[in-house]
């Protein structure tokens, strides 16, 4: 009778160890697929640095919770810690955005204080034209403003000298503008004659503000 009881205890112990090992293996696979899923849900590269960091921390917290204790006390402590960290990160992200806006505003003010020289590339907002953006190269200063050579391109494309038809010939499109038409001075084109991402974003904002004011 005693021997049978011992055998039953051994069987229960073996069964318990087997079930525990199955649980551990299943948990490991669940964590693996969870990590794999999170990797496919990564934010776009264009998101700001603070938001990417917050997303990564949230993912790590979720993985840690899968391995952690189910104690209500531990869960409450972790929840309070997460809320505190979330508030700190939200403040940091807000600070980064505010700093970026101030930096962009400062850069724009600096550009608008620059003097316009011959061969400078500038952005314009001439009411008689609806194209966006309006980019031109300064030819010379005139008594009422500037003589400019219009350029053709797009926010993300290559910029080249614009041409217009004069009879049967195509000639450079030269125009006269007022200094008040200029919204961005001394635009630095890239080696491929494109706008930098920062300048393109700034011009989009400037035109949006101008269009909103005119409407």
């Amino acid at each position: 009778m005693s021997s049978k009881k011992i055998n039953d205890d051994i069987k229960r112990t073996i069964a318990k160890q087997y079930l525990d090992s199955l649980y551990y293996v299943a948990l490991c696979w669940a964590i693996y697929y969870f990590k794999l899923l999170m990797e496919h849900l990564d934010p776009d590269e264009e998101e700001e640095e603070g938001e990417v960091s917050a997303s990564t921390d949230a993912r790590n917290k979720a993985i840690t919770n899968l391995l952690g204790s189910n104690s209500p006390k531990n869960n409450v402590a972790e929840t309070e810690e997460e809320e505190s960290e979330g508030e700190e990160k939200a403040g940091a992200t807000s600070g980064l955005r505010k700093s970026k806006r101030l930096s962009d505003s400062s850069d724009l003010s600096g550009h608008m204080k620059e003097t316009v020289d011959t061969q400078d590339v500038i952005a314009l907002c001439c009411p008689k034209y609806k194209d966006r953006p309006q980019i031109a190269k300064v030819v010379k200063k005139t008594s009422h403003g500037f003589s400019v050579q219009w350029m053709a391109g797009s926010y993300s494309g290559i910029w080249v000298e614009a041409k217009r038809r004069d009879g049967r010939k195509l000639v450079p499109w030269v125009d006269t503008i007022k200094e008040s038409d200029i919204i961005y001075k001394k635009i630095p084109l890239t080696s491929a004659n494109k706008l930098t991402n920062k300048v393109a974003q700034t011009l989009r904002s400037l035109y949006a503000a101008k269009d909103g004011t005119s409407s």
Side-chain angles (χ1 to χ4, degrees):
M1 184 70 179
S2 176
S3 176
K4 182 179 179 182
K5 183 178 180 181
I6 292 173
N7 288 338
D8 290 341
D9 290 339
I10 292 174
K11 288 179 181 178
R12 278 195 294 271
T13 302
I14 293 173
K16 184 176 182 300
Q17 291 175 348
Y18 177 74
L19 291 175
D20 288 344
S21 64
L22 283 180
Y23 172 80
Y24 180 79
V25 170
L27 182 60
C28 288
W29 276 107
I31 294 170
Y32 170 77
Y33 282 114
F34 184 78
K35 285 184 176 180
L36 195 62
L37 176 62
M38 289 297 100
E39 288 175 1
H40 286 286
L41 295 177
D42 276 342
D44 293 334
E45 293 180 358
E46 295 179 0
E47 288 187 345
E48 297 183 0
E49 181 180 350
E51 294 174 350
V52 173
S53 176
S55 174
T56 303
D57 287 347
R59 182 200 312 161
N60 292 337
K61 284 285 185 184
I63 293 172
T64 303
N65 287 340
L66 282 177
L67 291 171
S69 169
N70 290 325
S71 167
K73 182 178 180 180
N74 289 341
N75 290 339
V76 169
E78 288 176 359
T79 301
E80 291 176 351
E81 182 181 349
E82 288 170 1
E83 289 176 352
S84 176
E85 290 180 357
E87 291 173 358
E88 291 175 1
K89 287 183 174 62
T93 302
S94 175
L96 284 171
R97 289 175 176 168
K98 184 176 181 180
S99 175
K100 185 175 182 299
R101 285 195 298 269
L102 291 174
S103 175
D104 290 345
S105 176
S106 176
D107 289 347
L108 179 58
S109 299
H111 275 283
M112 291 308 294
K113 289 177 182 177
E114 297 277 0
T115 57
V116 178
D117 301 315
T118 302
Q119 298 301 307
D120 280 355
V121 177
I122 57 177
L124 302 157
C125 186
C126 296
K128 61 181 178 179
Y129 300 120
K130 298 300 181 183
D131 295 340
R132 298 286 189 270
Q134 299 173 8
I135 306 295
K137 182 179 292 185
V138 178
V139 177
K140 64 180 181 179
K141 185 174 178 61
T142 66
S143 57
H144 299 292
F146 297 93
S147 174
V148 299
Q149 157 77 66
W150 285 109
M151 301 181 72
S154 63
Y155 284 110
S156 59
I158 297 173
W159 285 89
V160 297
E161 291 185 349
K163 304 284 187 180
R164 67 178 180 85
R165 187 169 294 281
D166 184 9
R168 296 184 178 181
K169 297 186 300 182
L170 288 176
V171 297
W173 191 342
V174 178
D175 204 350
T176 301
I177 58 98
K178 298 178 294 184
E179 186 163 7
S180 59
D181 293 332
I182 302 174
I183 60 173
Y184 199 100
K185 299 177 180 179
K186 295 189 180 298
I187 293 177
L189 295 178
T190 67
S191 58
N193 270 10
K194 294 183 177 183
L195 299 174
T196 64
N197 290 335
K198 184 175 182 180
V199 170
Q201 291 172 3
T202 301
L203 292 181
R204 288 181 189 275
S205 299
L206 289 172
Y207 284 120
K210 288 283 186 181
D211 292 341
T213 302
S214 61
S215 61

